Amino acid sequence: MTVQPITSQPPHNSIETPTPSDFKPWRGLIETYRPYLPVTEETPVITLLEGNTPLIPVPYISQQIGRGVKVLVKYDGLNPTGSFKDRGMTMAISKAKEDGAKAVICASTGNTSAAAAAYARRAGMRAFVIIPDGYVALGKLAQALLYGAEVIAIEGNFDEALTVVRKMAENYPVTLVNSVNPYRLEGQKTAAFEIIDVLGNSPDWLCIPVGNAGNISAYWMGFCQYHSVGKCDKLPKMMGFQAAGAAPFIDGKPISNPQTLATAIRIGNPAGWDKAWAAKEASLGQFNAVTDEEILEAYRLLAAHEGIFCEPASAASVAGLLKVKEQVPSEATVVCVLTGNGLKDPDCAIKHSNNQVKSGIKPEISKIAEVMGF
Ligand code: F0G
Protein backbone atom coordinates (compact mmCIF):
# COMPACT_ATOMS: atom_id res chain seq x y z
CA MET A 1 0.00 0.00 0.00
CA THR A 2 1.37 3.40 -0.87
CA VAL A 3 1.09 6.21 1.57
CA GLN A 4 -0.89 9.13 0.25
CA PRO A 5 0.37 12.48 1.49
CA ILE A 6 -2.32 14.75 2.86
CA THR A 7 -2.47 17.72 0.59
CA SER A 8 -3.99 21.07 1.32
CA GLN A 9 -4.45 24.15 -0.81
CA PRO A 10 -1.08 25.47 -1.97
CA PRO A 11 -0.38 28.95 -0.64
CA HIS A 12 -1.57 31.77 -2.83
CA ASN A 13 1.22 32.99 -5.08
CA SER A 14 1.24 36.45 -3.62
CA ILE A 15 1.76 35.19 -0.06
CA GLU A 16 5.37 34.71 0.91
CA THR A 17 5.78 31.70 3.15
CA PRO A 18 8.90 31.20 5.23
CA THR A 19 11.55 28.69 4.20
CA PRO A 20 13.93 27.01 6.67
CA SER A 21 16.67 29.49 5.84
CA ASP A 22 14.38 32.31 7.02
CA PHE A 23 14.49 30.92 10.55
CA LYS A 24 17.50 31.80 12.61
CA PRO A 25 17.35 29.37 15.47
CA TRP A 26 17.80 30.91 18.91
CA ARG A 27 21.09 29.67 20.37
CA GLY A 28 20.56 30.49 24.02
CA LEU A 29 21.63 33.66 25.74
CA ILE A 30 25.34 32.91 26.12
CA GLU A 31 25.86 32.49 22.38
CA THR A 32 23.57 35.41 21.55
CA TYR A 33 25.18 37.88 23.94
CA ARG A 34 28.67 36.34 24.11
CA PRO A 35 30.58 39.67 23.68
CA TYR A 36 28.82 41.06 26.75
CA LEU A 37 29.42 38.03 28.99
CA PRO A 38 32.45 36.77 30.92
CA VAL A 39 32.91 33.59 28.86
CA THR A 40 35.77 32.37 26.68
CA GLU A 41 36.17 29.73 24.00
CA GLU A 42 37.11 27.34 26.80
CA THR A 43 33.84 27.81 28.70
CA PRO A 44 31.61 24.75 28.25
CA VAL A 45 28.22 26.27 27.47
CA ILE A 46 25.51 24.52 29.46
CA THR A 47 22.27 25.70 27.92
CA LEU A 48 18.62 24.81 27.54
CA LEU A 49 18.22 27.63 25.00
CA GLU A 50 16.91 29.97 27.68
CA GLY A 51 16.13 33.63 27.03
CA ASN A 52 14.39 35.21 24.03
CA THR A 53 11.19 35.47 26.05
CA PRO A 54 8.33 37.57 24.69
CA LEU A 55 7.68 41.19 25.55
CA ILE A 56 3.90 41.20 25.46
CA PRO A 57 1.72 44.32 25.29
CA VAL A 58 -1.01 44.32 27.97
CA PRO A 59 -3.71 46.66 26.63
CA TYR A 60 -6.18 46.19 29.50
CA ILE A 61 -3.58 47.25 32.04
CA SER A 62 -2.46 50.14 29.81
CA GLN A 63 -6.09 51.25 29.70
CA GLN A 64 -6.33 51.17 33.51
CA ILE A 65 -3.57 53.75 33.60
CA GLY A 66 -4.66 55.77 30.57
CA ARG A 67 -2.92 59.00 29.43
CA GLY A 68 -1.23 57.18 26.55
CA VAL A 69 0.86 54.99 28.85
CA LYS A 70 1.97 51.77 27.15
CA VAL A 71 2.54 48.74 29.37
CA LEU A 72 4.29 45.54 28.29
CA VAL A 73 5.24 42.48 30.29
CA LYS A 74 8.52 40.64 29.96
CA TYR A 75 7.19 37.13 30.39
CA ASP A 76 10.21 35.31 31.75
CA GLY A 77 7.99 32.50 32.96
CA LEU A 78 8.47 31.08 29.47
CA ASN A 79 12.06 30.07 30.15
CA PRO A 80 12.87 26.32 30.09
CA THR A 81 12.28 25.74 33.80
CA GLY A 82 9.57 28.40 33.98
CA SER A 83 11.40 31.32 35.55
CA PHE A 84 14.05 33.99 34.98
CA LYS A 85 16.49 31.95 37.05
CA ASP A 86 17.48 30.03 33.91
CA ARG A 87 19.23 33.15 32.63
CA GLY A 88 21.47 33.23 35.66
CA MET A 89 21.88 29.50 35.86
CA THR A 90 23.18 28.95 32.32
CA MET A 91 26.05 31.28 33.25
CA ALA A 92 26.63 30.04 36.81
CA ILE A 93 26.61 26.37 35.85
CA SER A 94 28.74 26.89 32.72
CA LYS A 95 31.36 28.71 34.80
CA ALA A 96 31.18 26.12 37.60
CA LYS A 97 31.74 23.40 34.99
CA GLU A 98 34.66 25.35 33.55
CA ASP A 99 36.17 25.51 37.04
CA GLY A 100 35.83 21.73 37.42
CA ALA A 101 33.02 21.75 39.99
CA LYS A 102 31.34 18.42 40.68
CA ALA A 103 28.46 19.76 42.76
CA VAL A 104 26.50 22.95 43.30
CA ILE A 105 24.37 24.17 46.17
CA CYS A 106 21.71 26.83 46.62
CA ALA A 107 19.12 28.06 49.08
CA SER A 108 15.79 28.63 47.42
CA THR A 109 12.18 29.60 47.68
CA GLY A 110 11.76 27.20 44.73
CA ASN A 111 12.66 28.68 41.38
CA THR A 112 16.41 28.82 41.92
CA SER A 113 16.32 25.19 43.01
CA ALA A 114 14.45 24.12 39.87
CA ALA A 115 16.86 25.97 37.58
CA ALA A 116 19.97 24.87 39.49
CA ALA A 117 18.80 21.27 39.38
CA ALA A 118 18.06 21.29 35.64
CA TYR A 119 21.31 22.93 34.55
CA ALA A 120 23.52 21.10 37.05
CA ARG A 121 22.14 17.70 36.06
CA ARG A 122 22.56 18.55 32.41
CA ALA A 123 26.19 19.35 33.20
CA GLY A 124 26.60 16.04 35.03
CA MET A 125 26.88 17.60 38.48
CA ARG A 126 25.15 16.97 41.77
CA ALA A 127 22.67 19.65 42.82
CA PHE A 128 21.96 20.24 46.50
CA VAL A 129 19.05 22.50 47.26
CA ILE A 130 18.11 23.76 50.70
CA ILE A 131 14.51 24.93 50.99
CA PRO A 132 12.27 26.33 53.72
CA ASP A 133 10.07 23.40 54.73
CA GLY A 134 6.44 23.94 53.74
CA TYR A 135 6.98 27.20 51.83
CA VAL A 136 7.88 26.06 48.33
CA ALA A 137 5.16 25.93 45.68
CA LEU A 138 4.21 22.48 44.43
CA GLY A 139 5.40 22.85 40.84
CA LYS A 140 8.86 24.00 41.93
CA LEU A 141 9.27 21.11 44.31
CA ALA A 142 8.12 18.67 41.64
CA GLN A 143 10.72 20.07 39.26
CA ALA A 144 13.64 19.88 41.69
CA LEU A 145 12.78 16.27 42.53
CA LEU A 146 12.34 15.12 38.97
CA TYR A 147 15.45 16.89 37.70
CA GLY A 148 17.30 14.85 40.31
CA ALA A 149 18.34 17.43 42.87
CA GLU A 150 19.10 16.37 46.43
CA VAL A 151 16.44 18.35 48.24
CA ILE A 152 16.94 19.22 51.90
CA ALA A 153 14.08 20.99 53.68
CA ILE A 154 15.10 22.96 56.77
CA GLU A 155 13.01 24.13 59.66
CA GLY A 156 13.67 27.75 58.90
CA ASN A 157 13.06 30.41 56.25
CA PHE A 158 14.96 31.34 53.08
CA ASP A 159 17.27 33.75 54.90
CA GLU A 160 18.40 31.00 57.26
CA ALA A 161 18.83 28.61 54.33
CA LEU A 162 21.05 31.15 52.56
CA THR A 163 23.23 31.60 55.65
CA VAL A 164 23.70 27.83 55.80
CA VAL A 165 24.57 27.35 52.12
CA ARG A 166 27.11 30.16 52.18
CA LYS A 167 28.93 28.33 54.99
CA MET A 168 28.57 24.98 53.21
CA ALA A 169 30.21 26.39 50.10
CA GLU A 170 33.11 27.72 52.19
CA ASN A 171 33.69 24.40 53.89
CA TYR A 172 32.81 21.73 51.33
CA PRO A 173 33.51 21.10 47.63
CA VAL A 174 30.26 22.62 46.39
CA THR A 175 29.84 25.78 44.30
CA LEU A 176 27.27 28.29 45.50
CA VAL A 177 24.81 29.25 42.75
CA ASN A 178 22.60 31.75 44.56
CA SER A 179 22.65 35.26 43.13
CA VAL A 180 25.61 36.16 45.36
CA ASN A 181 27.50 34.22 42.68
CA PRO A 182 28.36 37.07 40.28
CA TYR A 183 27.81 34.94 37.16
CA ARG A 184 24.12 34.72 38.03
CA LEU A 185 23.61 38.45 37.58
CA GLU A 186 25.70 38.42 34.40
CA GLY A 187 23.25 35.96 32.87
CA GLN A 188 20.17 37.71 34.20
CA LYS A 189 21.20 41.10 32.80
CA THR A 190 20.46 39.75 29.30
CA ALA A 191 16.74 40.27 29.93
CA ALA A 192 17.43 44.01 29.80
CA PHE A 193 19.29 43.53 26.51
CA GLU A 194 16.31 41.70 25.05
CA ILE A 195 13.93 44.47 26.07
CA ILE A 196 16.08 47.09 24.38
CA ASP A 197 16.57 44.87 21.32
CA VAL A 198 12.78 44.78 20.91
CA LEU A 199 11.84 48.35 21.89
CA GLY A 200 14.85 50.01 20.29
CA ASN A 201 15.42 51.85 23.56
CA SER A 202 15.01 51.43 27.32
CA PRO A 203 11.49 51.73 28.70
CA ASP A 204 10.77 54.75 30.91
CA TRP A 205 9.96 52.54 33.90
CA LEU A 206 10.91 48.99 34.78
CA CYS A 207 8.64 47.43 37.41
CA ILE A 208 10.05 44.33 39.06
CA PRO A 209 9.34 42.13 42.08
CA VAL A 210 12.11 42.16 44.68
CA GLY A 211 12.99 39.20 46.90
CA ASN A 212 16.65 38.48 47.48
CA ALA A 213 17.28 41.60 45.37
CA GLY A 214 19.51 40.09 42.70
CA ASN A 215 17.37 40.51 39.62
CA ILE A 216 16.80 44.25 39.97
CA SER A 217 20.57 44.78 40.04
CA ALA A 218 21.03 42.43 37.07
CA TYR A 219 18.54 44.43 34.99
CA TRP A 220 20.21 47.67 35.95
CA MET A 221 23.61 46.26 34.91
CA GLY A 222 22.10 45.23 31.58
CA PHE A 223 20.51 48.60 30.87
CA CYS A 224 23.70 50.45 31.83
CA GLN A 225 25.91 48.18 29.75
CA TYR A 226 23.75 48.58 26.63
CA HIS A 227 23.63 52.32 27.28
CA SER A 228 27.42 52.48 27.44
CA VAL A 229 27.71 50.94 23.95
CA GLY A 230 25.03 53.19 22.47
CA LYS A 231 22.23 50.61 22.15
CA CYS A 232 19.86 52.97 23.96
CA ASP A 233 19.87 56.67 24.77
CA LYS A 234 17.99 56.64 28.07
CA LEU A 235 17.79 54.53 31.22
CA PRO A 236 14.63 53.42 33.00
CA LYS A 237 13.51 54.28 36.51
CA MET A 238 13.89 51.04 38.47
CA MET A 239 10.67 50.47 40.41
CA GLY A 240 11.06 47.57 42.85
CA PHE A 241 8.09 46.00 44.64
CA GLN A 242 8.15 43.82 47.74
CA ALA A 243 5.30 41.98 49.41
CA ALA A 244 4.02 44.00 52.37
CA GLY A 245 4.71 41.19 54.86
CA ALA A 246 8.24 40.77 53.50
CA ALA A 247 9.31 44.33 52.79
CA PRO A 248 12.64 45.02 54.47
CA PHE A 249 13.42 47.77 51.94
CA ILE A 250 10.33 49.68 52.99
CA ASP A 251 10.93 49.07 56.69
CA GLY A 252 14.56 50.05 56.20
CA LYS A 253 15.82 47.01 58.07
CA PRO A 254 15.87 43.20 57.81
CA ILE A 255 12.76 41.33 58.92
CA SER A 256 13.15 38.13 60.93
CA ASN A 257 9.79 36.54 60.12
CA PRO A 258 8.72 37.51 56.59
CA GLN A 259 5.21 36.41 55.55
CA THR A 260 3.43 36.54 52.21
CA LEU A 261 1.52 34.15 50.02
CA ALA A 262 3.96 35.06 47.26
CA THR A 263 6.38 32.49 48.66
CA ALA A 264 8.99 33.19 45.95
CA ILE A 265 9.69 36.58 47.57
CA ARG A 266 9.15 35.57 51.19
CA ILE A 267 12.55 36.99 52.13
CA GLY A 268 13.44 39.23 55.08
CA ASN A 269 17.11 39.94 54.60
CA PRO A 270 18.01 40.28 50.91
CA ALA A 271 21.59 39.37 50.05
CA GLY A 272 21.56 41.94 47.24
CA TRP A 273 20.62 44.82 49.52
CA ASP A 274 23.39 47.29 48.65
CA LYS A 275 23.45 46.74 44.90
CA ALA A 276 19.67 46.99 44.66
CA TRP A 277 19.66 50.27 46.58
CA ALA A 278 22.43 51.60 44.37
CA ALA A 279 20.31 50.76 41.28
CA LYS A 280 17.26 52.43 42.76
CA GLU A 281 19.23 55.57 43.65
CA ALA A 282 21.12 55.83 40.36
CA SER A 283 17.93 55.39 38.32
CA LEU A 284 15.86 57.78 40.47
CA GLY A 285 13.54 54.84 41.09
CA GLN A 286 11.59 53.70 44.13
CA PHE A 287 10.81 50.75 46.34
CA ASN A 288 7.22 50.17 47.37
CA ALA A 289 5.24 47.42 49.09
CA VAL A 290 2.13 45.67 47.77
CA THR A 291 -0.24 43.69 49.95
CA ASP A 292 -1.09 40.05 49.27
CA GLU A 293 -4.59 41.18 48.26
CA GLU A 294 -3.14 43.62 45.71
CA ILE A 295 -0.86 40.88 44.40
CA LEU A 296 -3.82 38.51 43.98
CA GLU A 297 -5.86 41.20 42.26
CA ALA A 298 -3.10 41.74 39.67
CA TYR A 299 -2.56 37.96 39.38
CA ARG A 300 -6.22 37.39 38.50
CA LEU A 301 -6.37 40.42 36.25
CA LEU A 302 -3.34 39.34 34.20
CA ALA A 303 -4.85 35.92 33.67
CA ALA A 304 -8.48 36.84 33.07
CA HIS A 305 -7.96 40.02 31.02
CA GLU A 306 -4.62 39.51 29.32
CA GLY A 307 -4.40 35.71 29.07
CA ILE A 308 -1.14 35.63 30.99
CA PHE A 309 -0.68 33.22 33.86
CA CYS A 310 2.21 34.19 36.10
CA GLU A 311 3.04 33.18 39.62
CA PRO A 312 1.94 35.40 42.53
CA ALA A 313 5.39 36.90 43.20
CA SER A 314 5.59 37.99 39.57
CA ALA A 315 2.23 39.74 39.75
CA ALA A 316 3.78 42.05 42.38
CA SER A 317 5.29 44.07 39.52
CA VAL A 318 1.88 44.76 37.97
CA ALA A 319 0.22 45.23 41.37
CA GLY A 320 2.90 47.78 42.15
CA LEU A 321 2.47 49.62 38.88
CA LEU A 322 -1.28 49.89 39.40
CA LYS A 323 -0.69 51.09 42.95
CA VAL A 324 1.51 54.00 41.88
CA LYS A 325 -0.11 54.58 38.47
CA GLU A 326 -0.71 58.28 39.13
CA GLN A 327 3.04 58.78 39.10
CA VAL A 328 3.61 57.29 35.63
CA PRO A 329 4.39 60.06 33.15
CA SER A 330 1.89 60.43 30.29
CA GLU A 331 2.89 58.57 27.10
CA ALA A 332 5.48 56.55 29.04
CA THR A 333 6.52 53.03 28.09
CA VAL A 334 6.51 50.72 31.10
CA VAL A 335 7.81 47.17 31.28
CA CYS A 336 6.68 44.90 34.11
CA VAL A 337 8.79 41.81 34.67
CA LEU A 338 6.82 38.59 35.08
CA THR A 339 9.51 36.46 36.65
CA GLY A 340 7.80 33.07 36.85
CA ASN A 341 5.12 30.89 35.28
CA GLY A 342 1.73 30.51 36.93
CA LEU A 343 1.91 26.73 36.63
CA LYS A 344 4.58 26.78 39.32
CA ASP A 345 1.93 27.34 41.96
CA PRO A 346 -1.32 25.62 41.01
CA ASP A 347 -2.52 25.55 44.62
CA CYS A 348 -2.57 29.33 44.75
CA ALA A 349 -4.48 29.56 41.47
CA ILE A 350 -7.18 27.18 42.58
CA LYS A 351 -7.46 28.67 46.05
CA HIS A 352 -7.62 32.28 44.94
CA SER A 353 -9.46 32.15 41.65
CA ASN A 354 -12.87 33.79 41.74
CA ASN A 355 -13.92 31.13 39.30
CA GLN A 356 -15.25 27.68 40.10
CA VAL A 357 -15.70 24.35 38.35
CA LYS A 358 -19.37 23.61 37.75
CA SER A 359 -19.40 19.95 38.67
CA GLY A 360 -21.88 17.10 39.03
CA ILE A 361 -23.53 17.75 35.66
CA LYS A 362 -25.13 14.91 33.68
CA PRO A 363 -23.73 14.47 30.13
CA GLU A 364 -26.95 15.67 28.51
CA ILE A 365 -27.27 18.57 26.11
CA SER A 366 -30.21 20.11 27.93
CA LYS A 367 -28.48 19.98 31.30
CA ILE A 368 -25.27 21.48 29.96
CA ALA A 369 -27.17 24.16 28.07
CA GLU A 370 -28.94 25.06 31.29
CA VAL A 371 -25.62 25.41 33.14
CA MET A 372 -24.34 27.54 30.25
CA GLY A 373 -27.29 29.87 30.70
CA PHE A 374 -28.92 29.17 27.35
N1 F0G B 1 10.04 36.40 41.28
C1 F0G B 1 10.18 35.08 41.39
C2 F0G B 1 9.21 34.20 40.70
C3 F0G B 1 11.25 34.54 42.15
O1 F0G B 1 11.39 33.23 42.24
C4 F0G B 1 12.14 35.42 42.80
C5 F0G B 1 13.22 34.91 43.61
C6 F0G B 1 11.93 36.80 42.63
C7 F0G B 1 10.86 37.25 41.86
C8 F0G B 1 12.80 37.82 43.24
O2 F0G B 1 14.03 37.92 42.60
O3 F0G B 1 15.47 37.39 44.51
O4 F0G B 1 16.42 38.38 42.44
O5 F0G B 1 14.96 39.73 43.95
N2 F0G B 1 13.37 33.69 43.89
C9 F0G B 1 14.52 33.13 44.60
C10 F0G B 1 14.47 31.63 44.57
C11 F0G B 1 14.75 33.70 45.93
O6 F0G B 1 15.02 30.98 45.46
O7 F0G B 1 13.90 31.06 43.64
P1 F0G B 1 15.30 38.39 43.41
Side-chain angles (χ1 to χ4, degrees):
M1 205 175 98
T2 52
V3 177
Q4 290 296 322
I6 298 172
T7 53
S8 57
Q9 286 283 355
H12 191 277
N13 279 346
S14 63
I15 300 174
E16 277 190 32
T17 52
T19 65
S21 64
D22 290 331
F23 292 105
K24 219 170 154 214
W26 177 254
R27 295 173 303 155
L29 61 84
I30 293 182
E31 290 308 343
T32 305
Y33 294 111
R34 186 174 268 278
Y36 299 93
L37 293 169
V39 287
T40 66
E41 288 308 317
E42 275 71 58
T43 311
V45 175
I46 311 297
T47 180
L48 289 165
L49 306 185
E50 59 295 311
N52 195 27
T53 56
L55 187 63
I56 311 173
V58 283
Y60 183 83
I61 293 165
S62 301
Q63 221 176 59
Q64 304 280 298
I65 300 175
R67 295 182 288 108
V69 172
K70 183 166 189 216
V71 186
L72 305 100
V73 293
K74 179 67 173 161
Y75 190 19
D76 246 3
L78 289 183
N79 274 299
T81 78
S83 87
F84 73 98
K85 305 286 181 179
D86 294 345
R87 295 181 182 276
M89 221 46 87
T90 185
M91 276 298 302
I93 299 292
S94 296
K95 294 302 282 189
K97 186 78 180 166
E98 184 177 355
D99 291 346
K102 299 274 186 290
V104 298
I105 192 167
C106 66
S108 182
T109 56
N111 282 325
T112 301
S113 65
Y119 285 80
R121 301 300 295 154
R122 195 172 169 91
M125 295 181 208
R126 292 175 78 182
F128 296 97
V129 307
I130 314 287
I131 57 167
D133 202 359
Y135 289 95
V136 170
L138 195 66
K140 304 175 187 182
L141 200 55
Q143 288 180 289
L145 290 172
L146 204 69
Y147 288 135
E150 294 162 66
V151 182
I152 302 164
I154 58 155
E155 293 168 9
N157 60 28
F158 170 85
D159 303 290
E160 290 163 300
L162 187 60
T163 305
V164 171
V165 296
R166 289 175 107 148
K167 293 205 182 103
M168 296 294 298
E170 275 167 29
N171 293 297
Y172 296 92
V174 286
T175 300
L176 185 61
V177 292
N178 278 104
S179 58
V180 290
N181 176 328
Y183 296 121
R184 280 278 312 278
L185 300 194
E186 290 287 339
Q188 286 170 214
K189 76 183 179 189
T190 59
F193 296 168
E194 289 176 15
I195 291 173
I196 295 171
D197 285 339
V198 170
L199 294 179
N201 210 337
S202 290
D204 298 294
W205 277 27
L206 186 93
C207 298
I208 185 166
V210 174
N212 205 28
N215 210 26
I216 188 169
S217 318
Y219 267 87
W220 183 241
M221 274 169 57
F223 287 123
C224 290
Q225 197 171 358
Y226 248 26
H227 190 257
S228 71
V229 296
K231 292 264 192 180
C232 56
D233 63 16
K234 60 180 179 182
L235 288 165
K237 267 191 202 303
M238 302 299 285
M239 304 294 286
F241 297 98
Q242 294 188 313
F249 283 0
I250 317 307
D251 292 7
K253 58 178 192 316
I255 291 172
S256 55
N257 186 23
Q259 290 300 343
T260 167
L261 65 74
T263 51
I265 52 171
R266 186 175 166 269
I267 294 173
N269 188 14
W273 191 295
D274 294 342
K275 275 191 189 153
W277 272 79
K280 192 244 347 169
E281 297 284 313
S283 72
L284 308 176
Q286 287 175 22
F287 292 125
N288 285 290
V290 282
T291 65
D292 281 4
E293 207 33 67
E294 288 165 335
I295 288 174
L296 286 174
E297 200 57 42
Y299 173 68
R300 287 185 289 248
L301 187 151
L302 274 162
H305 288 275
E306 307 285 8
I308 298 169
F309 188 24
C310 67
E311 65 174 287
S314 307
S317 62
V318 170
L321 170 64
L322 292 173
K323 189 163 188 166
V324 300
K325 66 179 184 185
E326 305 303 332
Q327 294 182 42
V328 185
S330 297
E331 311 291 327
T333 298
V334 178
V335 171
C336 294
V337 183
L338 299 185
T339 45
N341 197 300
L343 294 170
K344 294 269 192 178
D345 195 350
D347 295 315
C348 180
I350 289 170
K351 188 165 174 205
H352 295 286
S353 168
N354 292 333
N355 205 356
Q356 273 176 11
V357 177
K358 299 170 174 67
S359 54
I361 316 292
K362 294 259 174 316
E364 289 163 20
I365 288 181
S366 61
K367 291 276 183 275
I368 292 171
E370 194 185 316
V371 173
M372 289 166 77
F374 290 120

